Amino acid sequence: TLFPYTTLFRSHAIFKKNKMQHRQDEEKQDLTKMWKLFHKNGKKKKNTKNREFAVVTYSFLGLFLCLMGYFVYFEQVESEQFINNPYNKRQELFTRSVVRGSIYSADGVTLAETVTDAEGNETRKYPAGRIFAHVVGYSTHGTSGIEAMANFNLLRSNILYMEKAVSEIKGEKNPGDSVTTTLNYDLQLQAYDALGSYDGAVVVMEPETGRILAMVSKPDFDPNTIADDWDTFVSDDSDSSVLLNRATQGLYPPGSTFKIFTTLEYIHENADYADYHFDCSGEYTVGTKTIHCHNNKRHGSEDLKTSFANSCNSSYASLGLTLDLEQFDDLCDQMLFNTALPTDFESSKSSFVLEPGDSDSAVMETSIGQGKTLVTPFHMALIASAIANDGVLMKPYVIDRITDAEGEVVEQYEPAEYKTLLSESDASVLQEYMRYVVEEGTATKLKSDSYEAAGKTGSAEFSSSSDATHSWFVGYAHNGEEPDIAVAVIVENSGVGSEYAVPIAKQIFDAYYTWEN
């Protein structure tokens, strides 16, 4: 009779045992899941930390490599520029241990030297005086010209370390390195004399190399007496512009030399430019604005080439109104307007300001080189060089080499291409037009049996209250296939370009080819 109960108890015990085993299995599974989850999260956390550590490590490593790279770049490329900065007090330390080096012309003439007397007093001498005043510069009350751009080189001594040690023991200064320039003494003298008593500037350079052969600016000063004259130059009632290098810093309306750019833009916009035609009556009027040709001369029937050669203001005022002003602005930017020029000389930016919506009067004036457009003579010399060199502008330079006290070359400068300003085909057209200016146009005084010249004259009005004008000529010459020299001449407050600037260019060309032959 107890069997059913016994069986029931056993079944219940087995059920409880199975239930407990099931619960233990579930708890075991839960623990396993929790362990796996904890292990997985811990592994993720560990991997995340490793990854973050790697990112930080590699970031610092990258920054360190960048810093080291910058230090190397600075030491090799930028250090000399920073040391050469006139505000760098380190230069004063150099003067205590180094005698400032000399500056020479390309043909070996001394342009600047330091003379030491028996008592050890140093005096900076400029044997050529005023002739090289602006281009060589001065080293008193700051520095300018080549004295400024080569300041670090002139105060650095590359003699042997043993000699430096001996000098230091004796308490003597070491001789500084010397600078040989690209300047030609005779050509500089010729340009200086040719400018005569007029204020203005002359720049002469080699189109194929970028070597600056001459740079004259007037009014000038005597660098030998700069210390005594300084207070006078910078006084309120003085014409301090005597210290201004007009070649690189003087800003002038370009006059008809700007027609180089107007012509180029017209060619770009008109494939049929050779078919251009204009009947010149001596003046051109739109609205209330009238543009006159020089002396109201009637040029009659002209194409683009003869308009350029005759420097016909009426023709260029007319075609200027047809130009796309945005494209014109882009062209002028390409031709180095509104940008720093490639030179270590202190220089001014040439400016071109003409925008869509400007008045017809502004467009006409700008097209003939008046209005608000301003250029430096140095800029125009670069343009003439690029045109002569088939559109390629070589980087202009005036320092040829640095030598130590024994005459050994420390650093040699070489020609380098700066930028292609215009295509070879555009350059070819402008070369043809500029030759025609000499053959049949406003610069026929440049005709010669010794060379072939090309260029553009200009007469730039600079005052609305008078007929006073600056006289311009920009161009180049050659007696073979390649151009030899390019020039830019401006004669302030003189007259038309053909009467004043062209004869100066001729004197320079004649002298150059006389020496070459």
Side-chain angles (χ1 to χ4, degrees), residues 378-392:
F378 183 67
H379 181 188
M380 296 307 294
L382 298 184
I383 297 300
S385 293
I387 293 171
N389 198 39
D390 297 330
V392 177

Side-chain angles (χ1 to χ4, degrees), residues 21 54 57 59 89 114 124 138 191 235 254 261 307 317 413 419 459 475 501:
Q21 183 67 41
T57 301
S59 296
K89 296 300 182 181
T114 298
R124 193 66 169 169
Y138 53 82
S235 63
F261 308 102
S307 293
Y413 294 82
K419 185 180 181 181
S459 303

Side-chain angles (χ1 to χ4, degrees), residues 448-502:
S448 173
D449 295 332
S450 301
Y451 55 86
E452 183 177 29
K456 184 70 190 76
T457 60
S459 303
E461 297 179 1
F462 61 90
S463 174
S464 58
S465 61
S466 70
D467 295 328
T469 58
H470 297 320
S471 177
W472 274 100
F473 176 79
V474 298
Y476 61 94
H478 61 95
N479 63 0
E481 292 296 324
E482 304 301 331
D484 296 314
I485 59 172
V487 303
V489 178
I490 184 166
V491 189
E492 294 184 10
N493 195 14
S494 54
V496 296
S498 59
E499 296 297 324
Y500 295 91
V502 169

Side-chain angles (χ1 to χ4, degrees), residues 102-243:
S102 300
I103 300 174
Y104 302 101
S105 68
D107 37 350
V109 179
T110 301
L111 304 180
E113 62 182 345
T114 298
V115 177
T116 306
D117 62 20
E119 298 179 356
N121 299 312
E122 297 176 2
T123 303
R124 193 66 169 169
K125 296 291 187 180
Y126 299 90
R130 296 173 176 271
I131 300 172
F132 288 83
H134 290 92
V135 64
V136 170
Y138 53 82
S139 60
T140 302
H141 293 285
T143 56
S144 70
I146 296 172
E147 289 275 35
M149 67 175 66
N151 195 40
F152 171 67
N153 304 101
L154 295 167
L155 290 174
R156 177 180 61 182
S157 182
N158 275 285
I159 63 174
L160 297 175
Y161 286 106
M162 186 63 68
E163 294 182 46
K164 289 182 180 179
V166 171
S167 297
E168 186 173 345
I169 293 173
K170 292 182 177 180
E172 298 176 350
K173 289 186 176 183
N174 298 309
D177 293 343
S178 293
V179 171
T180 299
T181 70
T182 62
L183 299 169
N184 182 294
Y185 183 88
D186 291 329
L187 203 60
Q188 178 84 6
L189 178 59
Q190 186 67 48
Y192 183 87
D193 288 343
L195 193 54
S197 60
Y198 282 102
D199 292 342
V202 178
V203 180
V204 186
M205 58 187 298
E206 291 179 349
E208 285 194 301
T209 65
R211 290 164 56 90
I212 297 173
L213 303 181
M215 182 181 288
V216 173
S217 175
K218 290 187 178 183
D220 52 42
F221 59 91
D222 186 350
N224 291 296
T225 60
I226 189 72
D228 296 331
D229 299 334
W230 186 262
D231 290 340
T232 302
F233 289 156
V234 299
S235 63
D236 293 337
D237 58 349
S238 170
D239 182 11
S240 59
S241 65
V242 69
L243 298 176

Side-chain angles (χ1 to χ4, degrees), residues 256 259 262-263 266 273 276-286 290-294 297-323 363-364 367-368 433:
S256 290
K259 290 170 184 173
T262 310
T263 301
Y266 186 82
Y273 66 88
Y276 173 82
H277 178 265
F278 182 81
D279 288 317
C280 172
S281 62
E283 62 181 35
Y284 182 75
T285 301
V286 173
T290 299
I291 298 294
H292 298 272
C293 291
H294 179 60
K297 181 177 180 180
R298 295 173 178 266
H299 295 112
S301 179
E302 297 178 303
D303 58 18
L304 188 60
K305 185 176 178 179
T306 55
S307 293
F308 187 86
N310 294 327
S311 201
C312 180
N313 288 339
S314 298
S315 176
Y316 274 85
S318 172
L319 69 84
L321 292 173
T322 69
L323 300 179
V363 174
M364 291 192 293
S367 299
I368 63 172
Y433 283 23

Side-chain angles (χ1 to χ4, degrees), residues 248-252 254 261 332-333 335-341 347-353 372-380 383 472:
T248 60
Q249 296 172 284
L251 287 168
Y252 303 90
F261 308 102
C332 288
D333 287 345
M335 301 294 277
L336 306 181
F337 280 89
N338 307 313
T339 187
L341 298 176
S347 62
S348 302
K349 292 181 181 180
S350 297
S351 62
F352 174 83
V353 284
K372 298 178 180 179
T373 305
L374 297 172
V375 297
T376 64
F378 183 67
H379 181 188
M380 296 307 294
I383 297 300
W472 274 100

